[in-house]
Amino acid sequence: MPRGGIDPPVVAIGAFLDGALPPRTPNSPGSSQWTTVPAFPNVNIDNTIVISSNPADDRMYVASQNGLVVAFENRSDVSTTETFLDLRDRVAVVSEGGLLGLVFHPEFGDSGSPHRKSFFVYYSSHCPLDASRDVIDLNACDDSYPRDYTSGFFNTYLRLSRFEVFDGGVTGDPSTEQVLFNVRLYNGGHRGGGMGFRDNGHLYLAIGDQVGYETAQDIVNNFEGGTLRIAVNVIDDGDGTWTCPAGTHQPRRIFDTADEISGQYYCIPDDNPWLDPAAGVFEEYCAIGLRNPFRLGIDPINGRVWVGDVGDSTREEVNVIGCGNNYGWPFREGSIELSEPPSYLGVLTDPVADFTRDEARSIIGGYVYRGSKFPELYGFYLVGDFITDRIWAIALDENTMTATKSYLTDFTVGNLVTWGQDNHGEVFMGAIYGTSLIYTLDRIGDPPPDAPPLLSDTGAFASVAAATPSAFWVPYALNQPFWSDGASKSRFIALPSDGARDTAAEQIAFSTTGDWTLPIGTVLMKHFELPLDEADPSITTRLETRFMVLGDDGDWYGLTYRWRADQLEADLLTTDETAVYTIQSFNGGTSDQTWYFPSRLD
């Protein structure tokens, strides 16, 4: 590629290569303007706390804190609801309690599955088990339990149960409750409650530390401060026993007291991280070190488990859950180390993103957006905050497992407490206090246009076939260029100008100590070619041409155009790609070199 200098006269070029490139990051959540709007304007729900869907129909299932679950058609003009499940006779509306989780079995509605009628509910209850410890004793419910923040145990419980719908119907039957575990609820908060399925019938449940702090590092004495992973595709033998699916085993350590039970009608995956044939630990744990994971969402595309974990005094955090990981609470909070002990269980794992207390003070985890309505949100994890009302889109870097966050908008209704996702990947939000609507995101105006699909459409080259840059480019080089797998690189800058750089908007503001300031619409171009013969450096193949563009919002964005095999055109990439090239060696042999083409996020 020819290289010039800075002596020739200035060639006029408008911002963004005369408007050929978008004025801000294409397909980026932060480049659009957002708001929240009612998703179902004619449906009001009291004290919304759970929004769910099932794989068998297109209805929405919304739970109130008091244990009433209603269902309605997933249409914006819907105006009627019907009761799906009523557990108000057994749900205790304690501090940070109530009906906390509802999830349908992934085979729900499948006529050939033994689990076709099953769904699961996690809730707080003031009704103990009966003498058999298999059934809820609705005649022994203690209505005197305190509703406000209280320390200690006060005859209430956290319970995970399986329910079924009535035969031939679509309504849940409270009498089918089958208790999987029933443990004591105590203190004033941190119950968790997010649930989801993956791995062929493995149920994930996030549970808080119940303000016990150190319990988040204890897998011997409690179910607290972590994420449980259990296999629920069991076959009920009908006599109080059950058969485990392949790759799982019966729970070995269980709660077995007068009022607490566990290990019923589920099994332990054989690849859970902390297994003990001697029954010394609760093998249900997948991950530990969480404070108040609220809530949990599983990406329907790749199965990745996301949790928003409410912080204490320094950070809010978002975690990608991996079995065997320890997320550090109470000796870590977000990226802040408080007092790391000399030893701990598992792999100490940083959050993928954390928030200062100015940004968020009670994070509410959402879902990875997989809908079609907003392409610029696709693949981003959405999260909000109960206190500051802010909503963000989070992009995960797969290589570093760290994330960047883009502020979207405020949940102006306030008191955001839960997210939901329908079968189409669209997301919804609910507020906890009073009677309110279910909300969803909406874009204000049109999104930024995408970049041209072909390099020839950008005007960057006077001749694409010859790879001759247009006359407006000014070439430059780095004082210390870095190695790029043997590729040769040419660099150019296009400063917006009318033909004479006589205004500040057409010039670079130099600084000896800080960043240089460039005009909005400035474009940097870097062209890569790979030598294919070590004995003849002139034999090369064009790999890619990259642009970095300074948008009108002050943010830079990147584009990659990958050259075709015929070297006559290059195509815009929207995701990362790799290709293998054969290099002729000095000794007459050959070697293969893999080239990585970065995605827009990269």
Side-chain angles (χ1 to χ4, degrees):
M1 178 177 290
R3 299 176 63 85
I6 60 174
D7 297 329
V10 173
V11 176
I13 181 67
F16 307 105
L17 301 190
D18 275 337
L21 301 179
R24 59 181 58 187
T25 312
N27 292 323
S28 169
S31 293
S32 295
Q33 290 184 291
W34 301 93
T35 187
T36 55
V37 297
F40 312 102
N42 302 313
V43 174
N44 285 274
I45 309 293
D46 292 334
N47 307 111
T48 300
I49 198 167
V50 175
I51 303 171
S52 189
S53 60
N54 85 53
D57 61 35
D58 200 31
R59 297 197 301 172
M60 302 300 298
Y61 296 80
V62 180
S64 297
Q65 188 180 17
N66 64 8
L68 179 65
V69 184
V70 299
F72 53 87
E73 294 297 322
N74 186 6
R75 305 189 326 264
S76 61
D77 62 348
V78 66
S79 59
T80 59
T81 68
E82 60 183 46
T83 297
F84 170 72
L85 183 70
D86 191 348
L87 298 181
R88 287 177 290 184
D89 58 355
R90 65 201 74 180
V91 169
V93 186
V94 298
S95 173
E96 294 190 20
L99 196 155
L100 294 168
L102 167 69
V103 66
F104 290 83
H105 193 283
E107 296 172 10
F108 185 88
D110 180 350
S111 61
S113 171
H115 314 293
R116 63 189 178 277
K117 297 191 293 182
S118 296
F119 61 96
F120 297 81
V121 179
Y122 174 70
Y123 67 99
S124 58
S125 180
H126 58 305
C127 307
L129 304 177
D130 68 5
S132 72
R133 298 191 304 154
D134 288 332
V135 179
I136 307 304
D137 189 348
L138 295 175
N139 295 317
C141 302
D142 183 2
D143 290 325
S144 66
Y145 68 88
R147 271 65 171 174
D148 298 325
Y149 193 101
T150 303
S151 296
F153 172 63
F154 42 93
N155 298 320
T156 52
Y157 301 91
L158 285 174
R159 182 175 299 142
L160 175 65
S161 294
R162 182 199 319 262
F163 291 85
E164 293 188 342
V165 295
F166 286 101
D167 282 328
V170 291
T171 303
D173 181 358
S175 70
T176 62
E177 181 169 14
Q178 187 179 65
V179 179
L180 278 65
F181 71 72
N182 186 81
V183 297
R184 287 187 172 190
L185 177 149
Y186 59 94
N187 292 339
H190 305 181
R191 323 294 183 195
M195 291 197 293
F197 272 98
R198 62 169 294 190
D199 300 341
N200 191 27
H202 291 175
L203 175 64
Y204 287 73
L205 169 63
I207 297 184
D209 68 1
Q210 293 214 77
V211 200
Y213 300 100
E214 297 298 334
T215 59
Q217 297 292 325
D218 179 5
I219 66 172
V220 175
N221 299 298
N222 61 71
F223 285 171
E224 292 172 17
T227 302
L228 308 184
R229 177 178 181 250
I230 58 177
V232 297
N233 281 4
V234 303
I235 301 301
D236 189 342
D237 298 329
D239 58 359
T241 65
W242 58 96
T243 301
C244 290
T248 71
H249 60 271
Q250 294 280 345
R252 293 185 276 229
R253 183 178 183 85
I254 61 173
F255 288 97
D256 190 14
T257 66
D259 63 345
E260 292 185 295
I261 62 167
S262 70
Q264 296 202 146
Y265 301 103
Y266 67 83
C267 297
I268 306 297
D270 290 341
D271 57 350
N272 269 12
W274 296 292
L275 303 181
D276 182 4
V281 302
F282 285 112
E283 298 177 326
E284 287 86 343
Y285 278 100
C286 161
I288 62 173
L290 300 174
R291 182 176 181 268
N292 187 23
F294 206 91
R295 300 192 152 267
L296 176 149
I298 298 182
D299 187 340
I301 299 298
N302 57 34
R304 183 168 283 120
V305 182
W306 292 77
V307 161
D309 194 18
V310 179
D312 183 24
S313 59
T314 59
R315 288 290 192 274
E316 304 291 309
E317 65 185 74
V318 169
N319 296 296
V320 170
I321 299 298
C323 282
N325 288 351
N326 185 333
Y327 295 91
W329 176 254
F331 58 84
R332 275 194 179 186
E333 188 176 350
S335 57
I336 305 300
E337 181 178 317
L338 304 176
S339 56
E340 186 172 316
S343 63
Y344 44 78
L345 283 174
V347 178
L348 189 59
T349 304
D350 290 331
V352 296
D354 66 357
F355 301 78
T356 67
R357 300 295 284 179
D358 291 333
E359 294 174 311
R361 291 195 289 278
S362 186
I363 205 74
I364 305 296
Y367 292 88
V368 176
Y369 182 80
R370 294 298 183 184
S372 60
K373 188 176 180 181
F374 306 117
E376 64 267 51
L377 292 180
Y378 191 85
F380 284 79
Y381 176 69
L382 303 178
V383 65
D385 190 69
F386 177 75
I387 301 296
T388 67
D389 299 326
R390 294 171 184 156
I391 296 173
W392 295 267
I394 293 181
L396 181 66
D397 185 326
E398 302 279 353
N399 297 316
T400 64
M401 289 303 291
T402 59
T404 55
K405 54 183 183 284
S406 300
Y407 166 76
L408 298 185
T409 187
D410 281 1
F411 187 64
T412 54
V413 179
N415 305 132
L416 172 64
V417 74
T418 195
W419 293 77
Q421 187 168 43
D422 67 14
N423 294 333
H424 309 289
E426 303 295 341
V427 295
F428 304 90
M429 293 154 280
I432 182 63
Y433 292 130
T435 300
S436 185
L437 303 171
I438 304 301
Y439 287 80
T440 190
L441 285 167
D442 197 13
R443 187 197 301 115
I444 301 173
D446 295 328
D450 204 349
L454 301 177
L455 184 60
S456 58
D457 294 332
T458 67
F461 288 85
S463 170
V464 175
T468 304
S470 295
F472 54 75
W473 292 106
V474 175
Y476 73 95
L478 302 182
N479 287 331
Q480 289 185 301
F482 50 85
W483 174 257
S484 295
D485 291 340
S488 61
K489 293 166 288 187
S490 303
R491 296 177 174 87
F492 301 84
I493 184 170
L495 290 171
S497 170
D498 59 5
R501 298 193 182 100
D502 51 4
T503 69
E506 301 171 305
Q507 300 168 353
I508 299 174
F510 171 77
S511 171
T512 57
T513 58
D515 293 335
W516 298 0
T517 302
L518 285 79
I520 295 297
T522 294
V523 180
L524 307 178
M525 181 173 73
K526 183 160 60 170
H527 178 79
F528 294 78
E529 296 193 5
L530 182 67
L532 298 179
D533 189 334
E534 293 180 348
D536 186 353
S538 67
I539 300 176
T540 65
T541 186
R542 299 166 193 162
L543 297 171
E544 60 177 297
T545 299
R546 297 180 189 173
F547 296 109
M548 291 296 296
V549 186
L550 181 56
D552 61 12
D553 56 358
D555 289 333
W556 289 90
Y557 71 85
L559 303 169
T560 296
Y561 287 84
R562 177 180 174 178
W563 285 83
R564 297 175 182 175
D566 63 11
Q567 303 284 279
L568 299 177
E569 183 62 276
D571 299 289
L572 175 68
L573 297 186
T574 57
T575 61
D576 60 348
E577 294 183 2
T578 58
V580 177
Y581 298 89
T582 300
I583 311 298
Q584 189 73 34
S585 303
F586 283 113
N587 60 11
T590 61
S591 62
D592 288 339
Q593 179 168 334
T594 300
W595 186 265
Y596 176 79
F597 298 88
S599 68
R600 292 179 178 182
L601 177 61
D602 294 328

